[in-house]
Amino acid sequence: MKLLVTNAKQVVRVTANGEKMLRGLEQTQSSLAILTERNGEGISILIDEDGKIAAIDYDSKIQNLIGNIKIKNVIDATGMCIIPGLVDGHTHPVWAGDRVHEFVMKMSGATYMEVHAAGGGIHFTVDKTRDVIKSVIIKGDVIYTKTEAEEVQL
């Protein structure tokens, strides 16, 4: 085996019914499977040679499963919460031209290049920010549209 993570205080699996993954609206609070330490016994995660999760269970059960199998790496996760398999697909609303509209595409499984081909991605934000810079006047720490600037006679 490639890796054993032991003694976790909590393991939150993003799938509760044996699914490989969840996308979009399939993801709900009720789709989570939460294992929490009990009577001082933590939770272990065993990772196989291909980097896939082989088992998740209480430390003693995983130790019984392993027996004398050699483990290449062991991580002590005492007191930690582990969320294996979580992919944090997100966007950052930045200055002008936030990319919140891409969230639905990403949650539906679109790749970055598919989002880019649909006009999204970092270039969308850069273009929107450039457009704003061309259409505003900044005086001190105040940003005015050109119309506002004319009204206050800047």
Side-chain angles (χ1 to χ4, degrees):
M1 291 289 162
K2 186 175 188 174
L3 173 66
L4 175 64
V5 181
T6 63
N7 302 313
K9 182 173 187 151
Q10 187 177 62
V11 173
V12 180
R13 293 185 1 229
V14 295
T15 61
N17 299 306
E19 305 93 340
K20 285 182 107 176
M21 72 176 113
L22 299 175
R23 291 183 175 168
L25 297 177
E26 296 172 338
Q27 300 173 88
T28 65
Q29 280 296 108
S30 62
S31 68
L32 298 177
I34 302 172
L35 283 172
T36 303
E37 70 179 358
R38 64 176 180 212
N39 301 324
E41 182 177 23
I43 297 105
S44 290
I45 302 174
L46 185 61
I47 308 297
D48 69 17
E49 292 297 329
D50 294 322
K52 296 186 179 185
I53 297 171
I56 300 175
D57 212 326
Y58 289 95
D59 294 333
S60 60
K61 288 187 178 184
I62 296 296
Q63 285 302 323
N64 289 339
L65 177 69
I66 294 170
N68 293 326
I69 296 172
K70 183 174 177 358
I71 306 294
K72 291 182 180 175
N73 297 298
V74 177
I75 297 173
D76 182 356
T78 298
M80 297 180 186
C81 175
I82 302 170
I83 308 175
L86 174 69
V87 176
D88 181 14
H90 66 279
T91 60
H92 298 264
V94 179
W95 190 246
D98 69 71
R99 295 163 44 197
V100 173
H101 62 282
E102 297 174 18
F103 185 70
V104 174
M105 291 180 70
K106 290 179 180 180
M107 292 300 290
S108 298
T111 65
Y112 180 82
M113 292 311 292
E114 290 168 336
V115 171
H116 179 72
I122 189 67
H123 297 293
F124 176 84
T125 306
V126 170
D127 291 344
K128 294 296 181 186
T129 302
R130 286 182 179 147
D131 290 345
V132 167
I133 290 170
K134 293 175 192 171
S135 66
V136 298
I137 295 174
I138 300 172
K139 185 167 185 181
D141 61 351
V142 180
I143 301 173
Y144 299 92
T145 65
K146 290 198 176 183
T147 304
E148 291 170 331
E150 290 170 7
E151 289 173 3
V152 294
Q153 299 177 350
L154 288 180

